[in-house]
Amino acid sequence: MKDVTYRNILTDRDGAIGIITLNRPKVLNALSHELMEELVMALEDFDKEDGIRVIILTGGERAFAAGADIGKMSDETTISIMLKDRFATWDKVRKVKKPVIAAVSGYALGGGCELVMTCDIIIASESAQFGQPEINIGVIPGAGGTQRLTRAVGKYKAMEMILTGRPMTAYEAHQWGLVNKVVPVELLLEEAKSVAREIAKKSPVATKLAKEAVLKTFDGPISEGLEFERKNFYMLFSSEDQKEGMKAFLEKRQPTFSGR
Ligand code: HXC
């Protein structure tokens, strides 16, 4: 299959493995809408390509992704962000039928952590950090964090992470069941590929149906929760705290929240 030229991601193949690398290193792979659209295109292409059996999603050594692009989000209002319906792109990520393995190094924060959690298996390097720091900029997770993190690590740890914004190290994430395996950074991609190769040997149709069946318990009743989270996320764009939180991040200062 002919590859499209992307500006925010890289694609590669290794036998039956399709590899997608997030590639906006200057902003720690912040997830702009353009990046998300390219990601969905690449995922859908690999999902359709017969020779590809498993997809690996990775980022850079310093960051898998440090979240949604705050610079492009700070001026949104509840209505403007709702009308843009950016989450339609995110909905497509979770429709991919082939197994997706996340290979995570460095920061996986906010939307970055949420993107990791849409994957099926998570391999982390020792430097990986997982967190939902949205509360620090006056908002909440909007792409499944309140739902998937809670299912992965349980109510209390999820509450702690979402309410304090504090991230987990790779080893903590492993201990809490968010990560399958932690490896030294230089072995990250190789470990992800080794798991991918093992899966690629199995029946393609059984693999697809197995993933679909697991997601029925995990993702099945999630739609209502995602919808609720999304509405609350949109609603916060009517608050002064969202404006202040994002402005403060961009101006590299501490925010002063008024509660309005
Ligand atoms: C836009 C970002 C960014 C982001 C980092 N950058 N994260 N730009 N959106 N999410 C940019 C910085 O502005 C900076 O640009 C450059 O990347 C390097 O970042 P630094 O902050 O200088 O690096 P460092 O001091 O090492 O700190 C790393 C960091 C910090 C701890 C990860 O960047 C950080 O806190 N980032 C924001 C994390 C966050 O709040 N994520 C949640 C976003 S909201 P310049 O031009 O100055 O070099 C979200 C909601 C999801 O994800 C909703 C669903 C989509």
Side-chain angles (χ1 to χ4, degrees):
M1 197 176 276
K2 198 170 171 300
D3 276 329
V4 189
T5 308
Y6 295 112
R7 289 169 39 173
N8 302 281
I9 62 170
L10 304 168
T11 57
D12 195 9
R13 288 175 182 70
D14 183 350
I17 309 169
I19 304 164
I20 303 173
T21 306
L22 307 178
N23 189 34
R24 295 183 78 208
K26 282 194 187 133
V27 284
L28 307 182
N29 291 337
L31 303 169
S32 61
H33 181 58
E34 292 70 30
L35 182 150
M36 288 304 298
E37 285 204 312
E38 291 186 1
L39 172 62
V40 165
M41 236 187 279
L43 283 169
E44 289 181 346
D45 280 352
F46 280 145
D47 212 21
K48 279 188 233 136
E49 189 175 330
D50 282 340
I52 295 296
R53 302 287 317 286
V54 181
I55 301 165
I56 293 177
L57 178 57
T58 192
E61 200 172 312
R62 187 165 167 226
F64 175 84
D69 195 322
I70 301 170
K72 297 195 175 167
M73 209 168 41
S74 59
D75 292 334
E76 297 285 5
T77 66
T78 298
I79 300 301
S80 71
I81 199 167
M82 191 182 74
L83 291 179
K84 279 184 188 155
D85 194 19
R86 296 297 199 217
F87 290 106
T89 320
W90 285 78
D91 290 336
K92 291 182 191 159
V93 174
R94 68 187 175 107
K95 299 265 163 62
V96 175
K97 294 193 175 69
K98 289 176 185 169
V100 183
I101 301 177
V104 184
S105 192
Y107 300 113
L109 301 178
C113 189
E114 292 173 305
L115 183 57
V116 168
M117 290 190 290
T118 63
C119 298
D120 304 309
I121 290 178
I122 305 172
I123 310 291
S125 87
E126 287 167 332
S127 75
Q129 275 189 40
F130 301 84
Q132 300 291 162
E134 288 90 343
I135 197 98
N136 296 332
I137 52 169
V139 290
I140 64 170
T146 63
Q147 307 298 302
R148 291 199 180 88
L149 187 64
T150 309
R151 281 160 198 238
V153 303
K155 172 183 163 187
Y156 305 101
K157 190 65 185 170
M159 278 290 186
E160 180 192 320
M161 290 177 67
I162 291 167
L163 298 183
T164 67
R166 252 194 339 251
M168 287 201 271
T169 64
Y171 288 108
E172 281 176 287
H174 183 244
Q175 191 191 332
W176 283 92
L178 182 62
V179 155
N180 293 78
K181 191 167 181 182
V182 183
V183 295
V185 65
E186 63 277 12
L187 298 181
L188 179 66
L189 201 56
E190 202 32 60
E191 180 59 31
K193 283 184 183 177
S194 148
V195 179
R197 276 189 215 107
E198 198 177 334
I199 297 171
K201 286 187 210 138
K202 316 293 181 195
S203 149
V205 64
T207 304
K208 241 180 226 179
L209 295 185
K211 168 167 172 168
E212 192 181 23
V214 173
L215 289 183
K216 268 279 178 262
T217 57
F218 196 77
D219 264 5
I222 209 171
S223 317
E224 221 176 286
L226 286 175
E227 200 54 41
F228 191 86
E229 178 196 76
R230 200 169 291 183
K231 285 276 189 303
N232 278 359
F233 180 77
Y234 289 158
M235 205 154 66
L236 283 163
F237 284 76
S238 294
S239 72
E240 288 173 20
D241 285 353
Q242 173 271 328
K243 298 280 169 287
E244 165 63 6
M246 293 193 178
K247 208 161 161 255
F249 174 79
L250 296 170
E251 292 169 1
K252 302 187 189 293
R253 61 171 173 82
Q254 287 299 313
T256 309
F257 293 126
S258 65
R260 279 193 298 272

